[in-house]
Amino acid sequence: MIYLYYFFIFFFGASIGSFLNVLIDRLPQDKKITGRSICDHCHHQLSWYDLIPILSFFLLKGCCRYCRKKISFQYPLVELITGLLFVFTFSLKTVFIKDSLFLRLSLLGIVSCFIVIFFSDVKYHLISDYILWALFCFSLFFHLATNFNLFQLIFIYFFSSIIVAFPIWLIYFLSKEKAMGLGDVYLSAILGFLLGWQKGFLALYLAFVSGGIFGLFLILFGRKKLKSKIAFGPFLVIAALVMLFWGEEILSWIIKFYFYRL
């Protein structure tokens, strides 16, 4: 029964991933998210059997049924990642103060927003305001589900959002939007609200380190030039996921290591 349970969660997550693909492609282009899916090449309306998560892509051998042109591998990849992250979220032994279905659903919402931000920033170098608002709302639900405290929510986490976003805003301001986009500033502010200032700053540190290493490899292998623009949102998302699920353990390890060295 446990395998059937996780299979259902995976299929549900993959189905949500199919909808996330719609958000990834349509929101940055200011297109309506309603309406039937169509082929990117021939614009033929797709039938329901062309849209079975993951399975349809492989049954069609990665090609459109109507024009036989290649289908982007993004679609099954997003569905697979969403399904796996949904299973992970429901199977995780929570480290939070309270555990409830409301908490798990909040986490699923946060994870879904992260997936949209990751792929839309990679593909279009844009982060939709609608997704940022959704991420903020799910972050608010997350705090309400874990430890509802109005004073803490208003003062501590909103203060955290400001101080975590400040370094990104400073880079955005000084570089005149060349090094950072306004979407990165808003995203870092929401991450500060979600994670708090300690885990928020650690997320920024991880994002800068991983982004710097990735950019260096791209330059060394000739894929990018020194002045080329690389999306920073995906590194913020990965770092935020790490700190969201393992932040307490990482903070504890850092504190123990620091005091041991003293």
Side-chain angles (χ1 to χ4, degrees):
M1 288 300 293
I2 190 68
Y3 293 111
L4 184 62
Y5 168 75
Y6 284 127
F7 174 79
F8 173 77
I9 296 298
F10 175 81
F11 184 77
F12 173 69
S15 301
I16 295 296
S18 182
F19 175 66
L20 297 185
N21 273 316
V22 174
L23 300 182
I24 290 167
D25 282 329
R26 296 188 187 183
L27 286 180
Q29 301 181 74
D30 291 325
K31 294 181 178 179
K32 292 182 179 180
I33 63 172
T34 55
R36 296 288 297 274
S37 296
I38 60 174
C39 172
D40 294 334
H41 304 289
C42 66
H43 304 294
H44 193 287
Q45 185 172 292
L46 302 179
S47 303
W48 67 267
Y49 45 80
D50 298 320
L51 299 170
I52 302 172
I54 303 173
L55 187 61
S56 287
F57 178 85
F58 292 101
L59 289 177
L60 293 169
K61 298 180 180 179
C63 297
C64 172
R65 183 188 300 276
Y66 308 99
C67 67
R68 305 310 300 169
K69 290 187 177 180
K70 291 288 185 181
I71 301 171
S72 173
F73 194 70
Q74 167 200 314
Y75 300 119
L77 181 62
V78 169
E79 291 164 356
L80 177 64
I81 290 173
T82 309
L84 291 175
L85 284 176
F86 271 41
V87 170
F88 170 76
T89 302
F90 265 93
S91 63
L92 181 72
K93 291 183 178 179
T94 181
V95 296
F96 306 112
I97 297 173
K98 297 179 181 178
D99 191 8
S100 64
L101 180 61
F102 187 47
L103 170 64
R104 301 284 177 166
L105 292 176
S106 301
L107 288 172
L108 293 183
I110 291 169
V111 166
S112 298
C113 291
F114 280 160
I115 292 171
V116 175
I117 291 169
F118 183 99
F119 283 93
S120 62
D121 202 15
V122 167
K123 193 171 183 178
Y124 299 103
H125 287 268
L126 287 171
I127 302 175
S128 169
D129 291 341
Y130 294 108
I131 292 298
L132 290 173
W133 273 111
L135 179 59
F136 172 76
C137 291
F138 283 120
S139 301
L140 179 61
F141 297 154
F142 168 78
H143 286 304
L144 295 176
T146 50
N147 187 22
F148 176 73
N149 184 309
L150 191 60
F151 173 81
Q152 188 180 47
L153 197 60
I154 293 176
F155 293 98
I156 297 179
Y157 286 109
F158 273 100
F159 175 73
S160 296
S161 70
I162 294 171
I163 63 173
V164 171
F166 180 75
I168 305 299
W169 175 84
L170 194 61
I171 296 172
Y172 162 82
F173 178 76
L174 294 177
S175 68
K176 297 180 180 179
E177 208 173 350
K178 293 180 180 179
M180 291 288 173
L182 193 59
D184 297 319
V185 179
Y186 293 146
L187 176 58
S188 59
I190 296 171
L191 295 185
F193 176 76
L194 171 64
L195 301 171
W197 69 270
Q198 291 175 310
K199 288 185 282 186
F201 274 126
L202 279 175
L204 288 187
Y205 174 76
L206 289 175
F208 275 115
V209 171
S210 58
I213 294 173
F214 182 76
L216 181 61
F217 271 102
L218 290 180
I219 293 170
L220 289 176
F221 287 98
R223 301 298 298 272
K224 293 284 185 179
K225 295 182 180 180
L226 192 60
K227 293 185 179 181
S228 298
K229 190 174 181 180
I230 299 174
F232 188 59
F235 301 102
L236 280 174
V237 163
I238 294 172
L241 278 173
V242 170
M243 296 310 300
L244 179 63
F245 291 113
W246 298 286
E248 293 298 331
E249 290 90 339
I250 294 173
L251 273 176
S252 177
W253 181 84
I254 290 173
I255 292 171
K256 287 179 181 177
F257 178 80
Y258 177 76
F259 282 105
Y260 175 79
R261 292 295 295 271
L262 288 178

